[in-house]
Amino acid sequence: MQQIHPDDVIWRNARLATMAPDVPAPYGLKEQHALVVRGHTILAAIPESDIPSGHRHCVDLQGRLVTPGLIDCHTHLVFGGDRAAEWEQRLNGVSYQTISAQGGGINATVTATRSSSAETLLKLAQQRLQRLMNEGVTTVEIKSGYGLNAEAEEKMLQVARQLGLNNPIDISPTLLAAHAVPPEYRQDPDAYLTLVCEQILPTLWQKELYEAVDVFCENVGFTPSQTERLFKAAAALGIPVKGHVEQLSNQGGAALVSRYKGLSADHIEYLDDAGVQAMAQSGTVAVLLPGAFYFLQERQRPPVEQLRKQGVPMAVATDYNPGTSPFASLHLAMNMACVQFGLTPEEAWAGVTRHAARALGRHATHGQLKAGFVADFVVWDATLPVEILYEPGRNPLYQRVFKGQIA
C-alpha cells in the first residue's frame, strides 16, 4: 500500500461490503475497516487499527455499512411521452396488435421522442435519473433507440451526454438504433439496417456519442443475419457490442453476441445450453431484467442454474423504459431477481456492482471497494447488504459518494 498522506480522506468506523471476489467473507465483508481515498480513487481498505493517529481528514461512519456505488447497466432512460394509457388498454383486454395498429407500442414512443425537443427530453430524463441516484446509483447505462433516424438518435445521445455533465454520475451511452424498424422503412427493413450500418453508426461514433452498439435480435425485431451485419460494421470500427437476445424466443442471439466477444447478452429468458456455453467461453455477461419479466407477465425464466454452473457472471438492471419496465428502482430489480429468478441476495449485489461493471467494460475500475478503483461508494443506515433489497420502497441510503465527494 502507498503511504497515507495527510490530505487523504479516511472514511472510518465502517463495515465494508467490498464485493471483491478475493475476500472470502460473504459480500467481501470487512468488519471494523476504513476506506482511504485520495482524490477520485480508493487508496486502500485498512483495518481500523491501522489508521494513523491524529489523521486530520477522517469521516466517522459510526459503524454503518459501505458498499460500492450501484451500477444500472441497462436502461432506456431518454424518451418522450409515456405509455400508461396503453397499459390500461392492455389490462382491459385490448390486444397489443390492435394497440400497435392504432399507432401505439414502440412507434408511439418513437413519435413522441422525435417530436420532443432536447430540452424536454432532458427534463424528463433528469427526473428518472434522480430517482436512481437517490437509491445510490453512481453509474448508469443509457440507450438510444427511440429515434430510429440519424437526427433523433443523435438527439437522444446528446441528452445522455448532458445528463452526465449535469449530475454527479457516470453515464455509459449505447447506440440502439437497431431497436425496431421505423414506420417509414416497414416494407424494407434491410434498407433501414443499411442506414444504421453505413451512416448512423460511424457518424455518431466519430462524434464520440456512445461506447457500445446494441440490437434487438428477436422474431419481432432483427434477424440473426441482420444482427451479424450490424456486428460486423461495429467490429470494423472496433466498437464493442451487446444484444437484447432470447427474450421472447431462441434465435441464437446470445451465441452470436459471444462470437463477437460482446460485453453482454440481455434478457435471455429463452437462452439454451449452447448459448450458456458460448457466453461462458467468451466472458459475456448475462444481464437479467426482472422488471420486464414481471410487467409482461412472462413465464419463461432465464436459466440461472445453468449460468451459475458455467460461471457466467450475472448482472441485474432495471431496463427502465416506457413500454415493458417503467421502474426506476434498482432496489426493486434486485428484489425481483431474487424472488422471480432465484438469485441469492449476494448474487443480486454482485449483479449491480462488479458484474454490472463488467457488462459496461468498466470492471477494472468500478464495482468494488478496492485499491485503485474509483471512489464511488454508498453509506447505508444498515447492518447487512440484504436489507437494501429486502424491503422495496424503504431506502436506507445515508450518503452517496461519487469520485470521493459526497453527492
Side-chain angles (χ1 to χ4, degrees), residues 74 76 143 176 214-217 242-246 266-267:
H74 182 132
H76 304 254
K143 303 179 190 294
L176 182 57
D214 200 348
V215 57
F216 185 35
C217 178
K242 58 179 77 170
H244 289 62
V245 296
E246 271 77 86
D266 303 30
H267 287 289

Side-chain angles (χ1 to χ4, degrees), residues 90-295:
R90 289 212 310 270
L91 293 176
N92 285 334
V94 182
S95 73
Y96 182 81
Q97 289 79 0
T98 300
I99 293 169
S100 186
Q102 295 169 347
I106 189 173
N107 284 331
T109 302
V110 171
T111 300
T113 303
R114 286 179 174 181
S115 63
S116 297
S117 67
E119 292 75 19
T120 297
L121 292 175
L122 182 64
K123 181 179 178 182
L124 292 170
Q126 177 64 47
Q127 295 167 0
R128 301 162 191 148
L129 182 64
Q130 191 62 54
R131 285 149 63 192
L132 292 174
M133 291 193 297
N134 290 347
E135 285 197 345
V137 173
T138 53
T139 301
V140 62
E141 188 254 21
I142 299 178
K143 303 179 190 294
S144 68
Y146 291 122
L148 307 187
N149 63 32
E151 180 185 7
E153 288 289 296
E154 179 169 356
K155 178 173 66 175
M156 292 183 70
L157 292 170
Q158 291 284 9
V159 168
R161 171 184 280 178
Q162 194 61 46
L163 287 169
L165 295 172
N166 292 356
N167 295 276
I169 194 164
D170 270 332
I171 304 292
S172 175
T174 296
L175 179 69
L176 182 57
H179 192 193
V181 179
E184 61 269 25
Y185 282 92
R186 186 171 290 123
Q187 305 307 318
D188 196 355
D190 285 325
Y192 175 63
L193 201 65
T194 297
L195 174 71
V196 173
C197 293
E198 296 183 4
Q199 294 185 41
I200 296 176
L201 183 150
T203 300
L204 300 187
W205 179 249
Q206 192 172 22
K207 293 182 179 183
E208 300 183 344
L209 283 174
Y210 65 91
E211 296 177 352
V213 169
D214 200 348
V215 57
F216 185 35
C217 178
E218 190 50 80
N219 54 22
V220 294
F222 292 89
T223 67
S225 61
Q226 289 171 329
T227 298
E228 182 154 30
R229 189 177 157 205
L230 178 74
F231 285 176
K232 283 180 177 176
L237 293 173
I239 306 170
V241 300
K242 58 179 77 170
H244 289 62
V245 296
E246 271 77 86
Q247 181 183 9
L248 307 172
S249 63
N250 183 5
Q251 301 287 313
L256 185 56
V257 171
S258 300
R259 196 182 315 150
Y260 283 83
K261 306 295 183 189
L263 291 169
S264 68
D266 303 30
H267 287 289
I268 59 169
E269 281 88 337
Y270 285 83
L271 183 67
D272 60 12
D273 286 343
V276 173
Q277 290 173 11
M279 291 174 67
Q281 290 168 4
S282 65
T284 299
V285 177
V287 178
L288 306 180
L289 304 171
F293 177 90
Y294 161 83
F295 201 70

